[in-house]
Amino acid sequence: MAKKIGMLIVASMFASSVCAENNDVYIGVNVSKTDYEYKLDGFSDTLNFDGATGAGLTIGYLKEINDNVDIGFEAVLHNFGSEKANGADSSTAAFIFNIKPTYYFGDSGFSLAASLGLGSYNTDLEVNGVEASESEVSFSYGLEAGYDITERFNINASFMKTSIGYEGLDVDLDAMLIGAKYRF
């Protein structure tokens, strides 16, 4: 899987550089705090993990619609972190493609974006010595507030949510992210 992800990142970078003009290509990094909720088939209780620390890498391309609106296309590689609690150990990583319309508040440097993503999620879960590893495709959505420190450098805070339906296991994932982007 890592080889496929690497090939997709290289392809995204190449496609973005071919289309790039006027600082339209960007790369970003972020850190996240993620809350997980697991629902196992056959169990009435849910398993909750709060505050797993993770990190991610984003490569994107912006298409200007008008002076105040861009639409971003992103490839995101994110490890949402691992957490241990109550005899269980959990971690989730994903490769996500996002579409992100962004509204810029004039020349203030502030922006607000919504995101809709489709990603491949891989979850590893160990409960009382029983291990499971599953991969599944799922949609995600979120909001991002940003501030342009310079024409090329942006800081941002965002929220992302997804529900992943594996065979015998449902995972709800809520992540708060803090990040930075650099436009080329």
Side-chain angles (χ1 to χ4, degrees), residues 141-154:
Y141 59 92
L143 290 173
E144 177 181 284
Y147 180 71
D148 292 337
I149 292 176
T150 68
E151 184 178 298
R152 294 180 184 261
F153 186 70
N154 169 284

Side-chain angles (χ1 to χ4, degrees), residues 107-121:
D107 292 331
S108 69
F110 289 100
S111 61
L112 186 62
S115 67
L116 179 62
L118 179 65
S120 174
Y121 295 83

